[in-house]
Every structure is written in structure tokens, then in C-alpha cells.
Amino acid sequence: VEPRMATDIQAWLPEEYVPDPREKMNLYKSLADARTLERVEEIAAEMADRFGKHPDPVRHLLGLRRIRVLGAQQRLEKLTVRQDLVQLDLGRDLKKSELQRFMAAIPFQVEFVMGGQTRIRRRSPGPGESVSTALILLRGLEQARKGG
């Protein structure tokens, strides 16, 4: 089950990048159906081969899909990826050992809200930064849960 996601980041397939509406709908469907990072990467590579370098809205679209896939793998309840904030709602508290491994795995400070359901928060200065911050946090959480 995929986590709910809230975002204000501009993420879409621009008409000048994918002019054919049917092709565009097929790509959106392929992305929505992608359940693994490998599949998202295949779609990203296919788009680059067919349409050229990804413009910002496409990079953001692909990044948000990666975030949602990783969030589902970590069984998160909700992801907030806004231009000014990234927040992961875990739906449970982290164990002390997980928390220590998580903090060791990420290269910046975050804010925690604990008490039955951990929330991890980081302020972010813009859309590209928010997407990369969320991916770093999710990979850190994955390392923390795996034990290393």
C-alpha cells in the first residue's frame, strides 16, 4: 500500500517534452504502475532516450514517484514533500537502535516528533532540494530498519 502524499511541487510532463497526448497518458500510467525503483529508472531512461534531457517538472515527477515507491517499501503512512518542508509520517515510533542508525546515515539535522507515531521533519529551500532531501531521509530510514 502506498503512503498518502502531499506536495506543492510542480511535477508533470510538459507538452513541449511529450507532445502526443496518448503517449503522455501512457507514460503517466506507466509511472503510476511502477512499484520498484528499478522500474522507475527504466521509465526515466526510456523518456530520456525518446524525448531528451528531462526538464525540471519531469525530474520532479520522477523524483516524487521514487519517493512514493520508497515510502511504500518502508510502510510509511504519509509523505509531505513541499517546497519548504519534507515530512515523513512513520505510523510508529522508531526504536532507539533504529534512531541511532538513522541519525548516523543522514548528512544533516532533522526534527523528530515522537509519541506513538514518529514524524521526521526537515525544512527545505526549494522543490529540487525537497525531492533530494526526501530521498536521503528514506534511504537513511531503510538503512536504520535493516540494521546497518
Side-chain angles (χ1 to χ4, degrees), residues 11 16-17 32 37 47 51 58 76 84 100 111-112 118 123 130 147:
E16 39 309 329
Y17 188 68
L37 288 179
M47 288 170 47
F51 305 109
V58 175
L76 299 186
D84 65 341
Q100 290 169 332
E111 176 185 345
F112 289 94
T118 299
R123 297 278 170 205
S130 293

Side-chain angles (χ1 to χ4, degrees), residues 9-141:
I9 294 175
Q10 301 295 309
W12 75 94
L13 298 172
E15 188 172 328
E16 39 309 329
Y17 188 68
V18 182
D20 183 334
R22 188 166 49 224
E23 186 81 48
K24 191 180 293 190
M25 292 312 311
N26 288 337
L27 287 168
Y28 280 126
K29 183 175 180 350
S30 293
L31 274 173
D33 291 343
R35 298 288 179 252
T36 65
L37 288 179
E38 293 78 21
R39 181 64 186 129
V40 176
E41 298 314 323
E42 287 171 6
I43 295 166
E46 175 189 331
M47 288 170 47
D49 286 346
R50 293 178 62 202
F51 305 109
K53 183 181 177 200
H54 302 144
D56 284 346
V58 175
R59 276 199 312 277
H60 297 158
L61 180 67
L62 293 165
L64 290 172
R65 188 65 200 143
R66 289 177 187 109
I67 290 165
R68 200 132 189 219
V69 167
L70 286 170
Q73 290 172 357
Q74 293 298 318
R75 292 184 221 94
L76 299 186
E77 286 193 358
K78 183 179 178 187
L79 299 159
T80 302
V81 185
R82 297 190 327 230
Q83 293 186 43
D84 65 341
L85 174 76
V86 173
Q87 181 172 292
L88 310 180
D89 290 272
L90 277 59
R92 69 172 185 88
D93 271 336
L94 288 175
K95 298 173 190 160
K96 183 178 179 182
S97 59
E98 289 175 315
L99 185 57
Q100 290 169 332
R101 286 190 299 266
F102 176 76
M103 292 305 297
I106 61 169
F108 43 69
Q109 293 184 345
V110 293
E111 176 185 345
F112 289 94
V113 179
M114 309 284 265
Q117 295 188 8
T118 299
R119 281 189 173 149
I120 302 170
R121 240 183 245 156
R122 169 118 173 125
R123 297 278 170 205
S124 188
E129 182 74 22
S130 293
V131 169
S132 61
T133 295
L135 289 168
I136 290 167
L137 292 174
L138 286 161
R139 289 192 173 112
L141 189 59

